[in-house]
């Protein structure tokens, strides 16, 4: 229950920040969805930002419930859409995972946040 409340707070806070600081790169939407549940392990995590990112200084990481990094450490921007940040995943067991992002937008402003999703 605590986790659900924290996730909602994070999302509300990000939405609030997004409207007041539109010039920075904030999470727009993600796949799997922020706080969402999926039926099988996704091949990759996709996070769309509100602004294009500077790949050299941006980070995208996925951790399991124990805080261990489980992604393939190949975070990269999409070839066509520089606001889409991706990282590949191995086949993961059921559980709740945390996606942590540190974004540096092309205007050099830094933002960061995290969200969870669940594989059932
Ligand atoms: Cu900015």
């Amino acid at each position: 229950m605590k986790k659900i409340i924290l996730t909602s707070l994070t999302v509300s806070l990000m939405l609030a920040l997004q409207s007041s600081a539109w010039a920075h790169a904030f999470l727009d939407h993600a796949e799997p969805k922020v706080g969402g549940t999926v039926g099988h392990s996704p091949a990759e995590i996709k996070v769309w930002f509100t602004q294009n990112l500077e790949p050299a200084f941006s980070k995208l990481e996925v951790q399991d419930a124990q805080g261990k990094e489980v992604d393939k450490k190949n975070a990269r921007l999409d070839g066509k859409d520089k606001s889409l940040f991706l990282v590949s995943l191995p086949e993961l067991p059921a559980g709740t995972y945390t996606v942590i992002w540190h974004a540096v937008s092309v205007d050099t402003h830094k933002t960061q946040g995290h969200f969870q999703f669940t594989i059932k």
Side-chain angles (χ1 to χ4, degrees), residues 25-47:
F26 283 100
L27 185 151
D28 186 63
H29 63 287
E31 244 182 60
K33 286 195 176 74
V34 171
T37 298
V38 291
H40 56 87
S41 182
E44 56 193 9
I45 298 293
K46 296 180 181 178
V47 183

Side-chain angles (χ1 to χ4, degrees), residues 23-24 105 107 109:
H24 298 29
S105 58
D107 66 9
H109 294 144

Side-chain angles (χ1 to χ4, degrees), residues 26-108:
F26 283 100
L27 185 151
D28 186 63
H29 63 287
E31 244 182 60
K33 286 195 176 74
V34 171
T37 298
V38 291
H40 56 87
S41 182
E44 56 193 9
I45 298 293
K46 296 180 181 178
V47 183
W48 283 265
F49 287 88
T50 55
Q51 220 185 356
N52 288 354
L53 300 189
E54 183 53 65
F57 305 107
S58 299
K59 284 193 280 186
L60 185 61
E61 184 177 328
V62 182
Q63 293 181 354
D64 65 14
Q66 282 71 47
K68 178 175 167 254
E69 184 172 2
V70 295
D71 59 78
K72 291 186 174 175
K73 301 187 178 184
N74 63 347
R76 64 209 181 272
L77 288 184
D78 180 73
K80 289 173 192 156
D81 182 354
K82 304 297 181 201
S83 70
L84 170 54
F85 209 14
L86 316 96
V87 68
S88 303
L89 295 176
E91 185 76 24
L92 293 171
T96 296
Y97 295 87
T98 302
V99 179
I100 299 159
W101 55 268
H102 291 257
V104 177
S105 58
V106 288
D107 66 9
T108 73

